[in-house]
Amino acid sequence: MTTLWARRKTWLEATSKDLEDYEDWRRFAVSNPRRIGGSKWDRELAAFVSLYSWAEKAGYVARNPIAMKQVVGGNGQAMSVPEQRADDARSSNVHWLTPRTWRRWIDVGLRGHTLEGVPEPGWVGRLEDRNVAFTRMLVSSGPRLQEGASLLTFEVPRRRLGGGRYCRGKIAAAVTRSKKQRTFYVASDAVGDVESYVASSRAWAVRKAQKSGRYDCLPEMRILIEVTRGLKPKVRWCDQAGVVGEQELNLLTWQERMLLFEEGPHGPEPLWLWLNERGLPLHPASWESVFRTANERCERILTPPKHLHRDPHQVFAPYATPHSARHSFALYMLVVLNYLMDQRFGLTPEERRDFRLLYGDPWLMVQNLLGHASRETTVKHYLAPVADLQLRAMLATSDNDVAEAPMPEMDAVFARIARESEGIQDIDARLQPAAGSVA
């Protein structure tokens, strides 16, 4: 809009030439100190397409200024896409961390540990237990950021599977990208972290908010009456005006979930699981800053001073995002499922073929865990480093380098995969990256 205004035009008067000039400035002009890459340009272009497609349909513009072309989609169908799509755009931005690297990232970035493995002097650890619980839940179960951030207190998985290593829960359809309900599985020790957070700093934040009357000042609040049982549980509530409402639990959006409270022994308490220091629901987008701060701390603590902010190819500190927890979960589950099929069950090639025909192969299992509509997305983006590896052979010849972990025998396997693949971060406690691994 600013560019058009400088040309004495409104957005209704834009032409294809205006868009071409704007792209040149945004992406290629040497005089622009903040040029963007192809992926960001494609996102901006998609916004322009949406705006002008609506404007053309509504009659505000006679002709869409964005030139379109026909291409063949992944499933063979014809699609219209902008001609100015970037050739250098990345189809995905995927980061993997091995389990031991996640443990290192959590200890240093969220728990304030030093190189020696102890909390740094003066470390305050604001909401440390909340941040650790949330991260370990993401890493062990693989939900998207909004899915994990939108849980209500009574949705924390508590039903343990046989063996007790994992708990099963449900992700409501309204908070998923596909708008379909999905079962997810969380490691039992990660659930224990969540329960500890609920009983400690969360309870303390709620009590402080109650004493200060903070909840009484909220512009909107829905007090829970009941959650019905059955195949389609419903949530019934009463708002501040005394009006009773209800909605199927599966259809509650994340915005509606933030409004839900229940009457506790000392007053109203949020049902939204993750709270800020003021005892109010933490917006899902706020987790990005938590991860950003932890990355900065890992960079400061783990990178030798002479290398800090220098050579980008000398990587000493792990880098993580909420979505990289999902990528890492997919990689972990694929390797573990192959390991269980090959090692734990002792299957012959014929038995393994029969097992896959009956239950589906590990790729399909991981696809279902992630809630992907197509196997192609799972294989092409989330599991690209191991898509062409003979995992059975790798697992059968794994080293015996054992470290403390939920499945300690797997650390050596992931170290080997990191050495033989690109894009997987694997940094041990001695800050020795696996050869070939990158951050």
Side-chain angles (χ1 to χ4, degrees), residues 134 137-138 141-152 155 171 175-176 182 184 257 272-274 284 287:
F134 180 77
M137 184 194 71
L138 289 189
S141 59
R144 294 181 177 88
L145 173 59
Q146 184 170 288
E147 295 170 351
S150 303
L151 287 176
L152 302 176
E155 292 178 312
I171 296 177
V175 300
T176 67
R182 190 170 82 251
F184 72 115
R257 289 164 166 261
W272 186 268
L273 177 60
W274 310 106
W287 286 109

Side-chain angles (χ1 to χ4, degrees), residues 104 115 301-304 315-318 427-433:
R104 189 70 171 164
L115 284 170
I301 296 297
L302 301 179
T303 303
V315 178
F316 299 89
I427 301 175
D428 65 18
R430 299 181 300 278
L431 299 184
Q432 295 179 349

Side-chain angles (χ1 to χ4, degrees), residues 20 28 45 55 73 89 115 135 238 259 271 285 336 339 343 352 355 383 386 401 410 416-417:
E20 291 172 5
F28 310 115
L45 190 59
L115 284 170
T135 302
C238 181
L259 302 176
L271 283 171
V336 168
Y339 177 85
Q343 301 292 331
R352 182 166 185 169
F355 186 93
L383 301 171
V386 291
D401 180 17
M410 300 303 297
R416 174 165 301 197
I417 292 175

Side-chain angles (χ1 to χ4, degrees), residues 4 11-20 45 48-49 51-53 55-56 61-68 84:
L4 289 171
W11 68 277
L12 298 173
E13 301 170 298
T15 65
S16 298
K17 182 64 167 61
D18 293 322
L19 186 63
E20 291 172 5
L45 190 59
F48 295 147
V49 171
L51 172 65
Y52 282 104
S53 295
E56 184 179 28
V61 296
R63 178 175 169 272
N64 191 332
I66 302 172
M68 307 292 287
Q84 286 179 251

Side-chain angles (χ1 to χ4, degrees), residues 196-215:
S196 296
Y197 156 65
V198 170
S200 54
S201 67
R202 186 185 188 278
W204 178 72
V206 169
R207 190 72 186 102
K208 276 207 318 179
Q210 289 170 334
K211 288 182 177 179
S212 65
R214 191 166 295 133
Y215 298 143

